[in-house]
Amino acid sequence: SSRASGKKVKGVFTFNGKKNKQLLVKVAISSASIDGAIANLKTADKYHWDFDGMHAETKAKWNKELNKINVTTDNELKKKIFYTSLYHSFLVPYRFSDIEGNYKGYDHTPAKAEGYTHYTVLSLWDTFRGLKPLFTITQPELYNDIIQSMLSQYKQTGSLPYWEIMGNEGGSMIG
């Protein structure tokens, strides 16, 4: 295994396999460290190479989330629009801490989420009107982690986030 570091590092991989043969790849990341990425990768081992099993589990998780609100209507189009919108509302924020609780702090050095999961892409622009109340009802455990993530930025920088993205403050979209 080779390692490379620096700015604008790229990799090219060539595989001498047969045409139409599957190439299976597992990838993991951590904003904090290579060791965090390796730890994240090890959590994926429960699936081994069972894509169908992972797909079924992921689908079940999404259905559990989407079924927190039950819409009753004969209008299938309205139902489809509602659940598509609900799905979109659950896409962000993203988990930013790795399996060990580490994440890239606001000074670009590793920080640790103690007792919570650190989240990123904390859009605050006008989300207090609809999205945040929705989360308090449908995602109370997630919402606590979001608040802890915001307080972590405050502790590290002295400011609450405006538009936090991947351990960086965008400085716009106040809420």
Side-chain angles (χ1 to χ4, degrees), residues 130-151:
L131 184 64
K132 301 307 188 248
L134 177 66
F135 280 169
T136 62
I137 296 167
T138 62
Q139 308 284 333
E141 65 290 336
L142 170 69
Y143 204 65
N144 181 61
D145 288 343
I146 291 170
I147 299 229
Q148 294 303 318
S149 299
M150 293 170 73
L151 291 174

Side-chain angles (χ1 to χ4, degrees), residues 94 102 135:
Y94 307 127
N102 299 312
F135 280 169

Side-chain angles (χ1 to χ4, degrees), residues 65-71 82-93 126-143 146:
E65 292 305 312
L66 296 173
N67 282 315
K68 288 181 175 180
I69 298 176
N70 186 13
V71 173
F82 175 83
Y83 284 111
T84 300
S85 298
L86 185 61
Y87 166 78
H88 288 154
S89 75
F90 291 163
L91 290 178
V92 292
D126 218 22
T127 59
F128 64 91
R129 297 177 196 272
L131 184 64
K132 301 307 188 248
L134 177 66
F135 280 169
T136 62
I137 296 167
T138 62
Q139 308 284 333
E141 65 290 336
L142 170 69
Y143 204 65
I146 291 170

Side-chain angles (χ1 to χ4, degrees), residues 106 149-159 161 164 169:
Y106 299 94
S149 299
M150 293 170 73
L151 291 174
S152 174
Q153 180 172 338
Y154 177 77
K155 289 174 189 170
Q156 292 179 45
T157 67
S159 297
E164 189 281 339
E169 179 53 61

Side-chain angles (χ1 to χ4, degrees), residues 28-38 40 96-99 102-103:
I29 61 171
S30 167
S31 65
S33 69
I34 292 172
D35 291 337
I38 292 168
N40 282 346
F96 196 47
S97 52
D98 59 33
I99 197 69
N102 299 312
Y103 65 95

Side-chain angles (χ1 to χ4, degrees), residues 3 53 71 102-103 108 122 158 162:
R3 290 183 181 225
V71 173
N102 299 312
Y103 65 95
H108 303 284
L122 302 177
Y162 281 34

